[in-house]
Amino acid sequence: ASVLAKAVVQQVRDRNRVVSERKLRHGSGKGRAVHVVFEDRPENDFSKFFTTFQKNIGCADETTDEDDNKVFVSAVGRSFYEQCLPDNSVDVAMCSIAAHWLDINPKTPVDVVEKTKHAYWLYARQVTMGVDSSTSIQNGFQDLPVCAQKAADDWECFLLRRTKELKIGGTMVTLMSTGGTKQGDNEIDRAFQGFAGSIVRGLLAAVDDLVKEGKFTQKEGQAVNCYAYARTEEELKKPFTESTSAVSKAGLKLTHYKPFVVPCPLLPEYQNGTLSKAEYCRRVALSLRTWSYHLVYNALSMERSEEERRGLVDVFYNQVAICLDRLSSPPALPYSLALLIMQKCNIIN
């Protein structure tokens, strides 16, 4: 997020230089200061954010005297499924690989919570039917329509909240994890199939192993939930292609859509012999840990001590590496993503 924010800030500063030159020549014109607002859930630790994010994007400090070249940063502790800023106040909104997480809150119906708790695991299994299913998943494919509807409702909610915040002419840039297309036969689809296969084979097999070994209780194994959904291209575009949708009526238009694949950065080192298969699988497991840690940690009983819970998480990812190493061929972790650029337009009745 900081890289993208820094690019936007630099564009404003470039514009300010042009304005400053005009001011020198004609005695008029004023550049603009930049206010960057970061949104995250209120329970997250904002202290590290303030010490790193501001430095990374070049914020105002005591050495900056020009008012029209300053950058100010603040934070909002709310869910992005809520409105986070005033109406018509945002020039550029950005969201990077986050909106695949579903909105689960105290008002979410209990049956929806129950049927969507394994949404990502179920979808991953659906596109990788060749892999073994996990005994830790108790519900089945019959719940996928509920997951898809929940994902559609949440995507619309997210877009409508941002539309309220954007100024007319404002732009939103969103990077999304995507499940590809319904056809399932292009580069994006194959990338997600590879990624999903690694998740099913690695994460869920490790859960089953630790339950069988008695290190996780059965209840803890079943609590490794993943309230997320990798929307297809059709699902991501639907709010914009239907003229009667609430998003279209609100004036948000999709101006650019680009799917692409980020190759697994570790695979070449394994293929050229730099990494052994065991070391390669260990590093893949660590890569999975960066985004799935909370899924495992939160599943462990609160009756365990903090030290025990953290220790079991370490044991878990060691087991993920072992499960991946069992495979006849090494797992690959390509990321299938989609870049969406949207603009808020005047609504013509």
Side-chain angles (χ1 to χ4, degrees):
S2 63
V3 174
L4 194 53
K6 186 175 182 178
V8 173
V9 167
Q10 189 57 51
Q11 287 291 318
V12 175
R13 284 181 165 165
D14 290 344
R15 175 191 177 279
N16 284 348
R17 275 193 288 271
V18 174
V19 172
S20 296
E21 291 172 2
R22 185 185 304 131
K23 185 176 182 180
L24 286 173
R25 290 196 304 268
H26 305 290
S28 63
K30 183 177 177 58
R32 293 184 179 181
V34 181
H35 183 194
V36 181
V37 183
F38 183 84
E39 173 278 329
D40 209 339
R41 298 191 63 85
E43 61 267 24
N44 289 349
D45 182 3
F46 282 87
S47 59
K48 190 168 183 62
F49 158 74
F50 283 118
T51 59
T52 57
F53 191 83
Q54 297 185 92
K55 181 179 179 180
N56 288 343
I57 66 171
C59 288
D61 57 31
E62 65 275 8
T63 65
T64 305
D65 296 324
E66 298 178 8
D67 289 339
D68 59 3
N69 204 36
K70 288 186 176 180
V71 180
F72 302 90
V73 172
S74 60
V76 175
R78 303 192 78 174
S79 164
F80 55 47
Y81 287 112
E82 302 174 78
Q83 186 169 341
C84 300
L85 294 165
D87 289 5
N88 305 307
S89 64
V90 176
D91 292 292
V92 180
M94 294 173 282
C95 180
S96 182
I97 317 181
H100 58 285
W101 295 106
L102 300 178
D103 180 25
I104 303 299
N105 61 66
K107 294 182 180 180
T108 306
V110 174
D111 64 322
V112 174
V113 173
E114 181 63 26
K115 291 182 178 181
T116 58
K117 68 181 181 181
H118 294 311
Y120 202 85
W121 306 147
L122 288 168
Y123 188 78
R125 283 175 57 202
Q126 184 186 50
V127 300
T128 54
M129 291 296 289
V131 305
D132 295 332
S133 61
S134 171
T135 56
S136 64
I137 296 180
Q138 299 302 310
N139 54 356
F141 293 129
Q142 70 273 11
D143 290 330
L144 272 172
V146 178
C147 299
Q149 185 59 55
K150 173 63 174 167
D153 294 342
D154 285 358
W155 180 227
E156 180 180 88
C157 175
F158 172 83
L159 294 173
L160 290 174
R161 295 293 185 266
R162 302 294 79 76
T163 303
K164 289 274 286 183
E165 297 162 351
L166 283 171
K167 296 177 181 178
I168 298 296
T171 299
M172 178 160 67
V173 180
T174 304
L175 192 61
M176 294 287 291
S177 172
T178 176
T181 66
K182 291 182 178 178
Q183 286 69 39
D185 59 358
N186 61 31
E187 180 189 19
I188 306 297
D189 300 321
R190 290 188 292 272
F192 182 74
Q193 289 163 12
F195 183 75
S198 295
I199 290 173
V200 174
R201 290 180 169 95
L203 297 178
L204 295 186
V207 171
D208 289 345
D209 286 353
L210 295 185
V211 169
K212 290 172 185 176
E213 293 172 13
K215 294 176 181 176
F216 281 13
T217 66
Q218 188 72 35
K219 184 177 180 180
E220 288 172 330
Q222 293 175 5
V224 182
N225 302 326
C226 191
Y227 291 100
Y229 188 90
R231 299 173 182 88
T232 64
E233 179 176 333
E234 293 82 1
E235 289 170 323
L236 287 171
K237 288 182 175 180
K238 187 175 180 181
F240 306 99
T241 56
E242 295 185 351
S243 60
T244 57
S245 75
V247 173
S248 293
K249 290 180 178 179
L252 192 66
K253 308 295 182 185
L254 179 64
T255 61
H256 182 81
Y257 182 93
K258 181 181 179 180
F260 62 99
V261 173
V262 178
C264 177
L266 299 170
L267 190 57
E269 293 185 70
Y270 169 74
Q271 292 173 330
N272 65 23
T274 303
L275 296 178
S276 65
K277 185 182 178 185
E279 177 60 17
Y280 170 71
C281 291
R282 187 187 73 84
R283 294 194 186 186
V284 168
L286 290 176
S287 176
L288 292 173
R289 179 177 178 138
T290 59
W291 63 266
S292 61
Y293 180 94
H294 70 288
L295 306 179
V296 183
Y297 179 82
N298 292 340
L300 298 175
S301 171
M302 292 291 289
E303 295 180 0
R304 298 182 185 270
S305 68
E306 174 74 10
E307 183 180 2
E308 184 182 13
R309 292 173 80 189
R310 292 187 181 279
L312 277 174
V313 172
D314 292 337
V315 169
F316 173 79
Y317 287 100
N318 288 337
Q319 189 62 36
V320 171
I322 292 170
C323 292
L324 294 173
D325 196 20
R326 289 179 193 155
L327 302 175
S328 57
S329 58
L333 281 182
Y335 288 90
S336 54
L337 303 172
L339 174 66
L340 294 86
I341 301 177
M342 294 149 275
Q343 185 174 44
K344 181 176 177 179
C345 304
N346 272 312
I347 304 172
I348 302 174
N349 294 324

